[in-house]
Amino acid sequence: MKCLYELNVEQLYKLVEEDLSLDGWIIWNETLAKRTESARELKRFDIIKDKAIEQGFINIDNEIVTWFDTLTMLYRSLKNISDLELKDNLKIFQEFRMPYSRRRADYVLVYDNKILILEFSFDKLGYAQKYEDKLQQASSYKEILGVFLPKEIDIGTYTFLIDPDEDKDGRFIYDPETKRRVNDDKVEELATVIVKFFKKNLKSAYNALKHLDYGDGNG
């Protein structure tokens, strides 16, 4: 497998909290070029850039800030999941390269025989690739993996539309209806999607046995 990071949940926590010190990272409403220039002098920038070069990535400076953004969103979502069994067995692949291609999925999450392809869109910050493009991209990755993997593996997709946390004046942006920070509901929604997708049908075999028809009128 080719990817930027291969992690379990605890390793992702450590990466965000300790290695990259991203706990509290703010997505501010500014151009990618300006955010990249601001982050370039930070130690975390060099840490993840060195890792990317080690993994064979090239021309990635403008991607690094978005990696910080998406790691933070996924970190916050996983913190909202209380299912310890799921978190203990979840595998996370960041920037997962598709077979026979240079294209990369933002994240591939794996649990049991299920795979969730997770894409992040920066449409609201004006960065490259619109939300609809990211939806189509996730679907194409699903199709590609479906060709190479056993048909029994359940592959799903989810696209997260990131909002800026702060405006250009450094003020937090709140949802006018919920009065919460704009990404809070989306983080919780992603956590719900992760749990529901990976935990669906776990009891299907048991329930099927319970409803067997024995042909004698007695279920």
Side-chain angles (χ1 to χ4, degrees), residues 18-219:
E18 300 177 24
D19 300 345
L20 301 177
S21 301
L22 288 173
D23 195 10
W25 175 260
I26 299 298
I27 302 171
W28 49 296
N29 192 11
E30 190 49 85
T31 65
L32 182 57
K34 189 167 183 178
R35 293 184 67 210
T36 299
E37 195 57 37
S38 177
R40 198 183 299 275
E41 303 303 319
L42 302 174
K43 182 181 178 181
R44 63 169 70 97
F45 193 95
D46 289 332
I47 290 173
I48 204 167
K49 182 175 180 177
D50 289 345
K51 175 69 173 178
I53 293 171
E54 176 187 315
Q55 297 300 103
F57 290 41
I58 58 174
N59 301 322
I60 42 78
D61 280 22
N62 285 338
E63 295 185 72
I64 290 176
V65 166
T66 65
W67 292 345
F68 294 155
D69 294 341
T70 61
L71 276 168
T72 302
M73 292 296 107
L74 182 56
Y75 167 84
R76 289 172 57 187
S77 293
L78 292 172
K79 284 288 187 178
N80 274 278
I81 295 176
S82 59
D83 189 320
L84 296 180
E85 194 277 334
L86 171 59
K87 291 168 78 170
D88 284 344
N89 293 283
L90 186 67
K91 298 297 182 184
I92 303 158
F93 301 90
Q94 185 183 11
E95 294 297 317
F96 181 91
R97 185 172 153 189
M98 292 294 117
Y100 296 96
S101 172
R102 303 297 299 180
R103 299 167 67 192
R104 292 181 265 117
D106 290 344
Y107 293 87
V108 170
L109 309 184
V110 181
Y111 171 83
D112 194 29
N113 69 330
K114 299 183 180 72
I115 293 172
L116 182 62
I117 298 166
L118 178 57
E119 287 291 309
F120 286 86
S121 169
F122 292 84
D123 201 354
K124 290 197 174 182
L125 284 91
Y127 301 171
Q129 294 190 304
K130 301 294 184 182
Y131 179 71
E132 292 76 13
D133 295 335
K134 280 290 197 173
L135 288 172
Q136 293 175 7
Q137 200 171 68
S139 296
S140 71
Y141 294 156
K142 177 180 177 179
E143 184 176 359
I144 291 169
L145 290 181
V147 170
F148 292 97
L149 297 176
K151 63 181 181 180
E152 294 81 11
I153 295 178
D154 187 6
I155 305 173
T157 67
Y158 185 81
T159 302
F160 188 116
L161 179 59
I162 289 182
D163 277 284
D165 292 314
E166 288 185 352
D167 62 22
K168 293 187 177 182
D169 295 320
R171 295 173 299 205
F172 281 118
I173 301 172
Y174 294 90
D175 185 293
E177 294 183 5
T178 64
K179 309 302 182 185
R180 304 178 73 200
R181 286 172 57 182
V182 287
N183 286 312
D184 287 353
D185 288 335
K186 295 181 181 183
V187 162
E188 292 176 4
E189 181 180 319
L190 174 56
T192 299
V193 167
I194 291 171
V195 173
K196 287 188 176 296
F197 176 74
F198 286 122
K199 289 295 187 172
K200 69 180 181 180
N201 300 329
L202 285 185
K203 297 181 179 179
S204 58
Y206 173 71
N207 288 330
L209 286 173
K210 279 177 44 176
H211 294 94
L212 277 175
D213 184 355
Y214 286 91
D216 57 4
N218 298 312

